[in-house]
Amino acid sequence: MRLSRYFLPVLKEEPKEAQIVSHRLMLRAGMIKQQAAGIYSWLPLGFKVLKRIEQIVHEEQARAGHIPLLMPTLQPADLWRESGRYDDYGEEMLRIKDRHKRDLLYGPTNEEMITDIFRSHVNSYKDLPLTLYHVQWKFRDEIRPRFGVMRGREFLMKDGYNFDLTKEAALHAYNRHLVSYLRTYERMGLQAIPMRADGGPIGGDYTHEFLVLAETGESEVFYDSQITDLTFGDRQIDYDSVEECQAVLEEFTSRYARTDETHDEAIFAQVPEERRRTARGIEVGQIFYFGTKYSESMGATVVGPDGARVPVEMGSHGIGVSRLLGAIIEANHDDKGIIWPEGVTPFHVGIVNLKQGDNSTDSACDAIYAELQARGLDPLYDDRDDRAGAKFATMDLIGLPWRITVGPRGLAANKVELTNRRTGATEEMSPKDAIARLEQIYQPVLGPKVQDK
Ligand code: ATP
Ligand code: MG
């Protein structure tokens, strides 16, 4: 993209309404615009990151063997009357009447609807196991929408639902989700720690929340510092293997890590004192096993191997796709702006032309831009007629991990500068070498596409 043709409404002034750094930076970098409390338009730069995050979620869901579909945002109230949650959900649920005075609601989650789809089409245990998911807008009429996209009222969530014949199989689905979520967050450059959590309105005995440590997090968390040494890395896990998924779950959940809802001082006291940590965290996802809670009330049964009908075992799993933008920025910024991890950056590299209008720099930039695109990279070329300082400030604010700077003096020696946004380190090299280096850096991100199992 050429910046002269893009729509990047960066703000010069500090937005006064923003209390935390990620909200401030998203507004300043022209990523979002508030339309009502907790409701945002996603401007092109914000939309691009949102799509990158969504793409990673889809790829990791495919890797785990989960099937995408799409359910509507509006749901009939009757489904929720069946499960008993229409009344329980309270004021967080946005209730709507259509012209025929029928009750609708803007879905805060989709357990009822997916259970309805399941009971309409699945009859036999032979169709199990099955995990369906979608990435769809949710609405929760939060009492205090705040911190930008972190606590919106309308927000984008990946929510998935597993259907299994036995509790054992459903617990494997639970473990499999925990593993696949670890990989999902790491690809976004985040450490998200699974912590024992509370079931809340969705209910269930087994549940973990994934928390990103950040001072501005809304949850208080307690953990054994050893847990932050764990990384999933590029291990190859067979998601169908009960033992492999179980082993990862045990590795990542055996040390103490809990939110304030489940925190237990007595157990925590058994962790050596020097490893006991109290911190704040941002919840970026949660997984549940809840058994037959919905299948029993809504009549979602299958014929088992012995010919008898049994209610299906279920769990649900959510990732806060739009909240993740805020969480990633909270964990990756400095006083100049955002620093995107390579996995989610809106553009892979910025090109800054120090002397716009000069034949040699213009044609060198055009050539670099075209060559990067030819190699599957997505550059942002600042081709505006502006001061170098202003161009650098914009690039730093919007946080592209790499910058190529092209000026007449360097070009005379066939050199450009390649700068790392996080470290500030700059290296001089030929345009060809800079392109080759970037291609190498982004190889794991661009990598081969994940195939369905
Ligand atoms: P919270 O405790 O933060 O209100 P929750 O536990 O009610 O969240 P879940 O039902 O577990 O949320 O939803 C799955 C994920 O959706 C959460 O982990 C979070 O990342 C995201 N999410 C929930 N509520 C919001 C919101 N109001 N704005 C943005 N993201 C949200
Ligand atoms: Mg939750």
Side-chain angles (χ1 to χ4, degrees):
M1 179 56 67
R2 288 168 193 271
L3 196 42
S4 63
R5 298 182 193 172
Y6 199 42
F7 180 61
L8 184 70
V10 298
L11 303 182
K12 296 243 157 51
E13 268 115 68
E14 284 293 331
K16 283 186 250 9
E17 70 268 34
Q19 296 164 34
I20 61 169
V21 66
S22 58
H23 187 195
R24 199 159 64 233
L25 287 173
M26 286 183 79
L27 291 169
R28 282 195 52 211
M31 295 177 69
I32 49 169
K33 178 182 184 325
Q34 185 176 317
Q35 306 292 169
I39 300 178
Y40 291 87
S41 287
W42 293 80
L43 304 182
L45 192 74
F47 183 56
K48 220 158 180 245
V49 182
L50 190 69
K51 285 286 155 191
R52 289 243 200 255
I53 292 174
E54 194 183 328
Q55 182 60 28
I56 292 175
V57 168
H58 279 301
E59 287 176 12
E60 292 309 322
Q61 288 299 302
R63 201 196 296 272
H66 305 158
I67 318 283
L69 47 51
L70 185 61
M71 292 174 271
T73 53
L74 294 184
Q75 306 187 17
D78 282 344
L79 275 182
W80 288 67
R81 293 195 174 102
E82 282 189 56
S83 73
R85 280 208 296 180
Y86 190 62
D87 294 325
D88 291 354
Y89 222 93
E91 298 224 276
E92 261 196 24
M93 180 185 277
L94 181 64
R95 295 153 207 260
I96 303 163
K97 264 196 205 305
D98 69 11
R99 69 200 300 165
H100 304 294
K101 306 278 178 289
R102 279 191 281 256
D103 292 322
L104 298 173
L105 57 100
Y106 193 133
T109 177
N110 283 60
E111 280 79 7
E112 284 75 0
M113 189 168 277
I114 200 80
T115 306
D116 178 54
I117 291 172
F118 182 91
R119 71 182 173 187
S120 307
H121 298 290
V122 182
N123 239 314
S124 163
Y125 77 97
K126 290 181 187 152
D127 296 324
L128 305 180
L130 180 65
T131 297
L132 300 169
Y133 78 95
H134 70 166
V135 177
Q136 178 61 292
W137 294 94
K138 303 288 183 290
F139 196 96
R140 294 182 187 173
D141 205 351
E142 300 274 355
I143 207 163
R144 278 180 73 200
R146 57 180 185 157
F147 300 161
V149 300
M150 293 263 243
R151 184 164 295 284
R153 290 197 296 166
E154 188 185 49
F155 59 96
L156 192 61
M157 196 206 284
K158 170 261 158 181
D159 44 320
Y161 306 87
N162 67 283
F163 300 93
D164 291 277
L165 180 62
T166 61
K167 176 172 180 182
E168 212 179 10
L171 288 178
H172 170 59
Y174 183 88
N175 299 351
R176 186 178 69 234
H177 277 85
L178 187 131
V179 178
S180 96
Y181 277 24
L182 289 171
R183 190 198 283 270
T184 303
Y185 297 119
E186 278 193 19
R187 281 190 59 189
M188 298 173 189
L190 281 179
Q191 182 171 43
I193 304 171
M195 301 201 179
R196 271 273 286 277
D198 188 62
I202 289 169
D205 305 335
Y206 294 79
T207 175
H208 279 90
E209 284 177 355
F210 289 78
L211 286 112
V212 173
L213 299 177
E215 278 165 27
T216 49
E218 290 187 291
S219 317
E220 187 170 27
V221 298
F222 303 84
Y223 62 96
D224 176 341
S225 65
Q226 278 190 343
I227 203 152
T228 56
D229 298 336
L230 296 174
T231 53
F232 187 77
D234 54 7
R235 338 176 173 192
Q236 300 302 314
I237 299 288
D238 175 1
Y239 284 109
D240 290 335
S241 162
V242 171
E243 294 74 26
E244 285 184 33
C245 290
Q246 176 76 31
V248 175
L249 174 119
E250 275 165 19
E251 179 185 346
F252 281 81
T253 63
S254 60
R255 292 172 189 76
Y256 192 92
R258 295 190 180 196
T259 62
D260 52 0
E261 292 158 345
T262 55
H263 178 57
D264 183 324
E265 271 301 332
I267 308 177
F268 194 43
Q270 291 161 22
V271 177
E273 192 171 0
E274 69 280 7
R275 292 193 344 227
R276 265 179 251 155
R277 299 280 187 282
T278 306
R280 313 284 311 171
I282 302 167
E283 183 197 327
V284 292
Q286 187 163 10
I287 56 175
F288 300 87
Y289 159 73
F290 47 69
T292 56
K293 178 175 154 93
Y294 297 92
S295 54
E296 274 190 52
S297 58
M298 297 183 64
T301 59
V302 289
V303 177
D306 58 2
R309 279 201 165 266
V310 285
V312 71
E313 289 275 340
M314 291 175 65
S316 71
H317 331 89
I319 294 182
V321 174
S322 51
R323 177 180 287 182
L324 272 164
L325 275 92
I328 292 169
I329 297 172
E330 288 297 323
N332 297 278
H333 67 270
D334 63 14
D335 50 12
K336 291 189 234 156
I338 303 165
I339 308 173
W340 291 115
E342 273 134 10
V344 299
T345 184
F347 295 97
H348 295 129
V349 52
I351 305 170
V352 169
N353 185 343
L354 291 180
K355 200 169 180 199
Q356 205 69 47
D358 175 277
N359 274 343
S360 71
T361 56
D362 286 5
S363 59
C365 287
D366 284 342
I368 293 168
Y369 180 69
E371 186 57 29
L372 287 165
Q373 286 186 326
R375 296 185 189 215
L377 291 163
D378 190 4
L380 179 67
Y381 171 22
D382 191 344
D383 60 343
R384 297 168 309 167
D385 189 11
D386 208 341
R387 291 177 304 111
K391 290 187 175 186
F392 290 149
T394 301
M395 286 295 177
D396 285 345
L397 173 64
I398 69 172
L400 309 187
W402 295 93
R403 187 184 77 211
I404 295 180
T405 310
V406 182
R409 206 165 330 135
L411 270 188
N414 191 35
K415 297 265 193 256
V416 296
E417 285 177 3
L418 183 65
T419 304
N420 180 284
R421 170 69 181 86
R422 196 178 291 275
T423 63
T426 292
E427 268 187 80
E428 281 208 330
M429 59 184 83
S430 68
K432 193 164 162 253
D433 287 349
I435 291 164
R437 176 80 70 84
L438 288 166
E439 198 180 12
Q440 191 189 8
I441 289 165
Y442 280 106
Q443 205 49 54
V445 172
L446 298 173
K449 287 276 162 284
V450 179
Q451 298 296 332
D452 288 338
K453 289 180 73 116

